[in-house]
Amino acid sequence: VCYTCSDNKAVSTGWPMVRDLANMFIVLGFVIIGIATTLRIQDYQAKKLLPKLIIVALLINFSLLICGIFIDGSNIITTAFFKGSGYFEKSVASDIGQQVSSVWKAFDVNNLGKSMMLGMGFIFQDIMLFVTFILFFFLLAFRYFALWILVILSPLAFVCYVFPATKKFFDMWWSNFLQWCIIGIPAGFFIYLSDKISSSLASQASDPMATGLFTYFIPCLFLLVGFLFS
Protein backbone atom coordinates (compact mmCIF):
# COMPACT_ATOMS: atom_id res chain seq x y z
CA VAL A 1 0.00 0.00 0.00
CA CYS A 2 1.50 3.32 -1.07
CA TYR A 3 1.19 6.30 1.27
CA THR A 4 3.41 8.78 -0.54
CA CYS A 5 1.81 8.90 -3.99
CA SER A 6 -1.56 8.87 -5.70
CA ASP A 7 -1.72 5.06 -5.96
CA ASN A 8 -3.56 5.02 -2.63
CA LYS A 9 -7.02 6.23 -3.63
CA ALA A 10 -8.25 6.67 -0.06
CA VAL A 11 -5.38 8.96 0.87
CA SER A 12 -5.15 10.76 -2.48
CA THR A 13 -8.85 11.64 -2.21
CA GLY A 14 -9.10 12.51 1.48
CA TRP A 15 -5.78 14.20 2.21
CA PRO A 16 -6.15 17.17 -0.25
CA MET A 17 -9.58 17.93 1.18
CA VAL A 18 -8.26 18.00 4.75
CA ARG A 19 -5.18 19.98 3.62
CA ASP A 20 -7.40 22.68 2.10
CA LEU A 21 -9.44 22.79 5.31
CA ALA A 22 -6.22 23.09 7.33
CA ASN A 23 -5.09 26.00 5.14
CA MET A 24 -8.37 27.76 5.96
CA PHE A 25 -7.63 27.29 9.67
CA ILE A 26 -4.15 28.72 9.11
CA VAL A 27 -5.73 31.92 7.75
CA LEU A 28 -8.10 31.94 10.73
CA GLY A 29 -5.06 31.46 12.97
CA PHE A 30 -3.43 34.62 11.66
CA VAL A 31 -6.65 36.50 12.45
CA ILE A 32 -6.78 35.04 15.99
CA ILE A 33 -3.14 35.95 16.63
CA GLY A 34 -3.73 39.48 15.36
CA ILE A 35 -6.75 39.96 17.63
CA ALA A 36 -4.98 38.35 20.62
CA THR A 37 -1.95 40.60 20.14
CA THR A 38 -4.19 43.68 20.03
CA LEU A 39 -6.00 42.57 23.20
CA ARG A 40 -2.67 41.59 24.84
CA ILE A 41 -3.71 37.96 25.50
CA GLN A 42 -0.36 36.45 26.46
CA ASP A 43 -0.88 32.85 25.28
CA TYR A 44 -1.92 33.88 21.77
CA GLN A 45 0.34 36.86 21.05
CA ALA A 46 2.20 37.05 17.74
CA LYS A 47 5.67 36.86 19.30
CA LYS A 48 4.90 33.42 20.74
CA LEU A 49 2.70 31.79 18.08
CA LEU A 50 3.50 33.48 14.77
CA PRO A 51 6.76 31.55 14.09
CA LYS A 52 4.99 28.24 14.83
CA LEU A 53 2.07 29.15 12.60
CA ILE A 54 4.34 30.06 9.66
CA ILE A 55 6.29 26.79 10.00
CA VAL A 56 3.10 24.74 10.26
CA ALA A 57 1.64 26.56 7.24
CA LEU A 58 4.56 25.13 5.26
CA LEU A 59 4.58 21.70 6.88
CA ILE A 60 0.92 20.86 6.31
CA ASN A 61 1.56 20.85 2.57
CA PHE A 62 4.31 18.26 3.15
CA SER A 63 2.48 16.27 5.84
CA LEU A 64 1.78 13.45 3.38
CA LEU A 65 5.49 13.11 2.61
CA ILE A 66 6.44 13.32 6.30
CA CYS A 67 3.97 10.59 7.24
CA GLY A 68 5.10 8.51 4.27
CA ILE A 69 8.72 8.60 5.43
CA PHE A 70 7.80 7.23 8.87
CA ILE A 71 5.46 4.58 7.46
CA ASP A 72 7.80 3.42 4.71
CA GLY A 73 10.70 3.27 7.18
CA SER A 74 8.76 1.04 9.57
CA ASN A 75 7.54 -1.08 6.64
CA ILE A 76 11.14 -1.69 5.50
CA ILE A 77 12.15 -2.96 8.94
CA THR A 78 9.00 -5.10 9.29
CA THR A 79 9.45 -6.61 5.82
CA ALA A 80 13.07 -7.47 6.62
CA PHE A 81 11.89 -9.59 9.57
CA PHE A 82 9.13 -11.22 7.52
CA LYS A 83 11.50 -12.11 4.67
CA GLY A 84 13.95 -13.60 7.14
CA SER A 85 11.27 -15.91 8.49
CA GLY A 86 10.97 -19.40 7.05
CA TYR A 87 7.23 -19.33 7.72
CA PHE A 88 6.77 -17.33 4.52
CA GLU A 89 9.29 -19.21 2.37
CA LYS A 90 7.31 -22.40 1.84
CA SER A 91 3.71 -23.42 1.30
CA VAL A 92 1.53 -25.03 3.94
CA ALA A 93 1.47 -28.27 1.95
CA SER A 94 5.27 -28.51 1.76
CA ASP A 95 5.60 -27.69 5.45
CA ILE A 96 3.14 -30.42 6.43
CA GLY A 97 4.92 -32.79 4.05
CA GLN A 98 8.21 -32.14 5.83
CA GLN A 99 6.56 -32.76 9.17
CA VAL A 100 5.12 -36.09 8.00
CA SER A 101 8.55 -37.02 6.67
CA SER A 102 10.14 -36.17 10.04
CA VAL A 103 7.60 -38.33 11.88
CA TRP A 104 8.19 -41.20 9.47
CA LYS A 105 11.97 -41.00 9.88
CA ALA A 106 11.62 -40.94 13.66
CA PHE A 107 9.16 -43.85 13.65
CA ASP A 108 10.31 -46.65 15.90
CA VAL A 109 8.23 -49.76 16.55
CA ASN A 110 9.96 -50.19 19.88
CA ASN A 111 9.26 -46.59 20.90
CA LEU A 112 5.82 -45.65 19.61
CA GLY A 113 5.43 -43.04 22.35
CA LYS A 114 8.27 -40.99 20.89
CA SER A 115 6.68 -41.01 17.41
CA MET A 116 3.26 -40.12 18.81
CA MET A 117 4.67 -37.23 20.81
CA LEU A 118 6.48 -35.92 17.75
CA GLY A 119 3.28 -36.10 15.68
CA MET A 120 1.21 -34.48 18.43
CA GLY A 121 3.83 -31.76 18.75
CA PHE A 122 3.57 -30.95 15.04
CA ILE A 123 -0.25 -30.95 15.15
CA PHE A 124 -0.31 -28.68 18.20
CA GLN A 125 2.22 -26.35 16.59
CA ASP A 126 0.26 -26.12 13.33
CA ILE A 127 -3.00 -25.30 15.14
CA MET A 128 -1.33 -22.64 17.26
CA LEU A 129 0.43 -21.16 14.22
CA PHE A 130 -2.86 -20.97 12.31
CA VAL A 131 -4.67 -19.19 15.16
CA THR A 132 -1.79 -16.80 15.83
CA PHE A 133 -1.29 -15.87 12.18
CA ILE A 134 -5.02 -15.16 11.87
CA LEU A 135 -4.68 -12.75 14.81
CA PHE A 136 -1.64 -11.12 13.20
CA PHE A 137 -3.53 -10.82 9.92
CA PHE A 138 -6.38 -8.85 11.47
CA LEU A 139 -3.96 -6.72 13.50
CA LEU A 140 -1.87 -5.73 10.47
CA ALA A 141 -4.95 -5.31 8.27
CA PHE A 142 -6.43 -2.87 10.79
CA ARG A 143 -3.06 -1.09 10.84
CA TYR A 144 -3.55 -0.14 7.19
CA PHE A 145 -6.97 1.41 7.81
CA ALA A 146 -5.78 3.21 10.95
CA LEU A 147 -2.82 4.72 9.11
CA TRP A 148 -5.03 5.80 6.19
CA ILE A 149 -7.24 7.76 8.60
CA LEU A 150 -4.29 9.23 10.51
CA VAL A 151 -2.49 10.29 7.33
CA ILE A 152 -5.63 11.94 5.97
CA LEU A 153 -6.07 13.87 9.23
CA SER A 154 -2.38 14.86 9.46
CA PRO A 155 -2.80 18.46 8.11
CA LEU A 156 -5.37 19.25 10.82
CA ALA A 157 -3.14 17.61 13.44
CA PHE A 158 -0.27 19.92 12.45
CA VAL A 159 -2.53 22.97 12.79
CA CYS A 160 -3.60 21.81 16.26
CA TYR A 161 0.05 21.87 17.33
CA VAL A 162 0.16 25.70 17.12
CA PHE A 163 -2.43 26.71 19.69
CA PRO A 164 -2.25 25.80 23.40
CA ALA A 165 -5.94 24.84 23.55
CA THR A 166 -5.63 22.34 20.68
CA LYS A 167 -2.10 20.97 21.17
CA LYS A 168 -3.52 17.97 23.06
CA PHE A 169 -5.20 16.83 19.83
CA PHE A 170 -1.84 16.89 18.04
CA ASP A 171 -0.29 14.88 20.89
CA MET A 172 -3.11 12.36 20.62
CA TRP A 173 -2.70 12.08 16.83
CA TRP A 174 1.10 11.75 17.04
CA SER A 175 0.91 9.06 19.73
CA ASN A 176 -1.53 6.97 17.69
CA PHE A 177 0.33 7.54 14.43
CA LEU A 178 3.68 6.49 15.87
CA GLN A 179 2.22 3.39 17.54
CA TRP A 180 0.43 2.21 14.39
CA CYS A 181 3.60 2.84 12.38
CA ILE A 182 5.85 0.65 14.50
CA ILE A 183 3.31 -2.00 15.51
CA GLY A 184 4.52 -4.27 12.70
CA ILE A 185 8.15 -4.19 13.90
CA PRO A 186 7.68 -6.19 17.15
CA ALA A 187 5.22 -8.45 15.32
CA GLY A 188 7.80 -9.20 12.62
CA PHE A 189 10.58 -9.62 15.18
CA PHE A 190 8.70 -12.22 17.23
CA ILE A 191 7.64 -14.10 14.08
CA TYR A 192 11.29 -14.15 13.00
CA LEU A 193 12.42 -15.27 16.46
CA SER A 194 9.77 -17.99 16.65
CA ASP A 195 10.82 -19.35 13.25
CA LYS A 196 14.47 -19.54 14.27
CA ILE A 197 13.58 -21.36 17.50
CA SER A 198 11.33 -23.76 15.56
CA SER A 199 14.10 -24.43 13.02
CA SER A 200 16.57 -25.13 15.83
CA LEU A 201 14.17 -27.62 17.42
CA ALA A 202 13.53 -29.31 14.07
CA SER A 203 17.26 -29.89 13.63
CA GLN A 204 17.22 -31.81 16.91
CA ALA A 205 14.41 -34.14 15.88
CA SER A 206 16.53 -37.17 16.71
CA ASP A 207 16.83 -35.98 20.30
CA PRO A 208 14.07 -37.42 22.52
CA MET A 209 13.70 -34.03 24.22
CA ALA A 210 12.75 -32.50 20.85
CA THR A 211 9.73 -34.77 20.58
CA GLY A 212 8.07 -33.41 23.70
CA LEU A 213 4.80 -31.55 23.30
CA PHE A 214 6.05 -28.77 25.57
CA THR A 215 9.05 -28.16 23.33
CA TYR A 216 6.81 -27.33 20.35
CA PHE A 217 4.84 -25.01 22.58
CA ILE A 218 7.85 -22.70 22.94
CA PRO A 219 7.87 -21.11 19.42
CA CYS A 220 4.08 -20.75 19.57
CA LEU A 221 4.41 -19.04 22.94
CA PHE A 222 6.83 -16.53 21.38
CA LEU A 223 4.26 -15.82 18.64
CA LEU A 224 1.50 -15.20 21.19
CA VAL A 225 3.76 -12.96 23.26
CA GLY A 226 4.69 -11.07 20.09
CA PHE A 227 1.02 -10.51 19.27
CA LEU A 228 0.18 -9.28 22.78
CA PHE A 229 3.29 -7.08 22.87
CA SER A 230 2.40 -5.60 19.46
Side-chain angles (χ1 to χ4, degrees), residues 33-51:
I33 290 175
I35 295 174
T37 302
T38 303
L39 299 177
R40 300 182 181 277
I41 301 175
Q42 294 294 326
D43 290 341
Y44 290 86
Q45 285 192 4
K47 185 177 181 181
K48 182 180 292 187
L49 296 183
L50 192 58

Side-chain angles (χ1 to χ4, degrees), residues 97-109 111 114-115 118-119 122 202 205-207 211:
Q98 289 181 3
Q99 293 176 358
V100 172
S101 177
S102 298
V103 174
W104 180 253
K105 289 179 180 179
F107 180 76
D108 187 356
V109 177
N111 192 357
K114 174 183 175 181
S115 301
L118 180 61
F122 281 136
S206 58
D207 187 345
T211 63

Side-chain angles (χ1 to χ4, degrees), residues 100-172:
V100 172
S101 177
S102 298
V103 174
W104 180 253
K105 289 179 180 179
F107 180 76
D108 187 356
V109 177
N110 298 321
N111 192 357
L112 292 176
K114 174 183 175 181
S115 301
M116 290 180 62
M117 287 300 294
L118 180 61
M120 290 174 61
F122 281 136
I123 293 173
F124 174 80
Q125 185 184 34
D126 290 340
I127 293 175
M128 291 295 292
L129 286 175
F130 175 78
V131 173
T132 308
F133 279 127
I134 288 293
L135 293 174
F136 273 117
F137 169 79
F138 283 108
L139 176 67
L140 295 177
F142 188 78
R143 173 181 179 266
Y144 282 121
F145 291 106
L147 286 175
W148 290 351
I149 295 171
L150 291 168
V151 170
I152 291 172
L153 294 178
S154 60
L156 283 179
F158 279 54
V159 174
C160 290
Y161 176 79
V162 177
F163 302 102
T166 58
K167 189 175 182 297
K168 61 182 178 180
F169 297 113
F170 171 82
D171 294 336
M172 186 186 305

